[in-house]
Amino acid sequence: MTLSWSSPDALLTTWLLVPYLAAFLAVLLPSLSHGLVLLCCSATALVGAEALLTESARPLQLIGEFGVQLSLEPLAGWFVLLNGLVCLAVWNEARRQGWDRTGWMLLLVLLGSLNTSFLTTDLISLYVSLEVVGIAAFLLILQGKSANAGWIALRYLLVGNTAMGLYLMGAGLVYAQSGSFAFDALAKLLPGAPLVLVLVGLLTKAGVFLNGLWLPRTHAEAPAEVSALLSGVVVGGGALPLLRLEQLNSAIAELLMPIGLASAALGLIYALGVGDAKRLLAWSTLGQMGLVLLSPAAGGLLAFSHGLAKSSLFLTARQWPTRSLQSWRQQPLPWPLLLTLGAGAFSIAGLAPLLGYAAKKQLEGAVSPTLAAAITVLSVGSVAVYCRLCRAPLLSQGSSTSGLWGSWMLLLPLLVGGALQLRSLNSGWLVSLLLLGLGLALDQLLEPLRQPAARALPSLDRLPDLVGGLGLVGAGLLLSIGRELS
């Protein structure tokens, strides 16, 4: 395929390649690191915004018929825009923490590989890009200073490689049956082992249900800015291909719906009972990514609003007085930090007038009334979860806000997006107040039970649990398919 350097396709290809070149230059010429990260993050955000504004799909085929298949459409635009904004905010925080050129190289590689995973529409190119994402994330987790950081990073890599090994087997079976690695070739096949193997790999990368049990301990050991990347945008590398498959075949959407609901319920239960603030946020990610999979029509906006809010919350972690939620009632927080926590938390909970409210309304409108009612019930639980982060007493003397600028960069789109919805809120204010009241009541009701409940909840994030979860989900998918076909 011959491309003119002035053509849109050539510009898109150049944009995909530049982060890898920038990563190389960041190592050779460390003085250029900050400028290169700014350039690549800004370009990524602009490409994502352009895809959303034009509302058109741009397919691209590289290296011939059996090469790389790419597509930039509005659904991918949400994830690309999210990638640029989150990496930009992480850069702002990481430079305060004194990241060296290795850290900048890894951030740029992660940015570029995520961009590729968001655009690719063939199974092999997606496999390669997600493996690069996994290696970059593994090395970033090692930046943590805790004693267990090395083991947790290795565990993340082992689970990810196991899941992607199953995915690769599924991709091979798809090619054997259809002669193609394209997503639409998989979607046209009768549901069976190839689909299940691919889904197991993608559900693990998306952090959904039992496949996402790697999240809690990984976030507990990773640095705050790495947790922001993992929960904010890395999980999107698995979620977007799942949404694309749902678009191509409604049977796949029906197959994933129970898993999405189960993930939302599991994440909510553990987030309500866990005593560590970072683990609370991680369990919440597992729940919210389950909701993202319920509808490809609303999944893009929901993943975008969740990613911005969750990354902003993780970026505040260095400002927390403690990670023990039992101590937060006795630990006054400066008003800038409390306000930042409240804005991010209540956007995820779906309260007006933040963008998370619009995302949840779009999701409720895209699913059946029964499913919409279940989402409303889950929203009450989400409010109760995030009340735990915002119930600390207010400290009148504000502290330095220098550590909150990255979080504020991510909260700004949530506020602006919510402000654009003000005229259409109608009963949204009343619904949000009702959800807030019910969530507060649920939080107070559970408080006396929280410590015994936390001890009673089984530990699900040990290595045997993670590997066993892959098998259980795969077996469950096969049984569901067999029941539908019989």
Side-chain angles (χ1 to χ4, degrees), residues 141-155:
I141 295 169
L142 286 177
Q143 304 281 328
K145 305 301 181 185
S146 68
N148 294 326
W151 162 241
I152 294 299
L154 180 60
R155 189 190 71 150

Side-chain angles (χ1 to χ4, degrees), residues 25-38:
L25 292 175
V27 176
L28 292 182
L29 302 170
S31 59
L32 299 179
S33 297
H34 294 294
L36 291 169
V37 173
L38 275 172

Side-chain angles (χ1 to χ4, degrees), residues 123-405:
L123 296 170
I124 293 300
S125 299
L126 180 62
Y127 170 79
V128 173
S129 61
L130 289 181
E131 284 291 74
V132 176
V133 168
I135 293 170
F138 158 72
L139 295 173
L140 283 169
I141 295 169
L142 286 177
Q143 304 281 328
K145 305 301 181 185
S146 68
N148 294 326
W151 162 241
I152 294 299
L154 180 60
R155 189 190 71 150
Y156 170 82
L157 190 64
L158 286 172
V159 173
N161 283 348
T162 300
M164 292 310 291
L166 296 173
Y167 170 96
L168 190 58
M169 291 170 57
L173 290 174
V174 171
Y175 186 80
Q177 295 184 23
S178 67
S180 173
F181 288 114
F183 282 10
D184 56 2
L186 172 59
K188 290 176 182 176
L189 292 178
L190 283 175
L195 176 63
V196 169
L197 291 170
V198 169
L199 291 182
V200 167
L202 294 179
L203 287 168
T204 303
K205 288 296 183 179
V208 175
F209 194 41
L210 300 182
N211 301 67
L213 295 178
W214 57 267
L215 280 164
R217 290 190 66 187
T218 303
H219 286 302
E221 303 296 338
E225 53 274 14
V226 177
S227 295
L229 288 168
L230 293 175
S231 258
V233 68
V234 168
V235 291
L240 177 56
L242 289 170
L243 292 174
R244 279 186 163 138
L245 289 173
E246 289 180 0
Q247 283 182 324
L248 293 169
N249 189 337
S250 60
I252 297 177
E254 294 176 4
L255 192 64
L256 290 177
M257 185 186 68
I259 294 178
L261 278 176
S263 184
L266 179 66
L268 178 61
I269 290 169
Y270 273 81
L272 286 170
V274 74
D276 182 283
K278 286 190 78 174
R279 291 197 180 206
L280 178 150
L281 294 179
W283 280 111
S284 169
T285 297
L286 187 144
Q288 293 298 313
M289 294 311 295
L291 294 180
V292 167
L293 297 187
L294 294 181
S295 169
L301 177 58
L302 186 60
F304 177 73
S305 63
H306 167 263
L308 291 178
K310 187 59 65 64
S311 295
S312 74
L313 291 173
F314 271 117
L315 288 178
T316 67
R318 295 185 187 276
Q319 313 297 317
W320 298 348
T322 175
R323 281 171 50 178
S324 173
L325 289 167
Q326 289 300 314
S327 303
W328 276 43
R329 285 186 186 273
Q330 293 78 39
Q331 297 281 347
L333 298 182
W335 69 264
L337 175 58
L338 198 56
L339 186 63
T340 304
L341 289 172
F346 292 124
S347 179
I348 296 175
L351 301 184
L354 298 160
L355 185 60
Y357 169 81
K360 288 287 177 67
K361 290 300 292 182
Q362 187 179 83
L363 176 61
E364 291 172 2
V367 298
S368 66
T370 303
L371 199 53
I375 292 169
T376 301
V377 173
L378 292 169
S379 295
V380 174
S382 295
V383 173
V385 165
Y386 286 104
C387 283
R388 304 181 70 194
L389 287 182
C390 304
R391 63 187 181 184
L394 179 65
L395 182 66
S396 57
Q397 294 84 15
S399 63
S400 171
T401 61
S402 59
L404 297 175
W405 284 107

Side-chain angles (χ1 to χ4, degrees), residues 19-20 108-118 129-130 132-133 136:
Y20 304 106
L108 287 165
V109 169
L110 185 69
L111 174 78
S113 54
L114 281 169
N115 284 339
T116 305
S117 72
F118 294 149
S129 61
L130 289 181
V132 176
V133 168

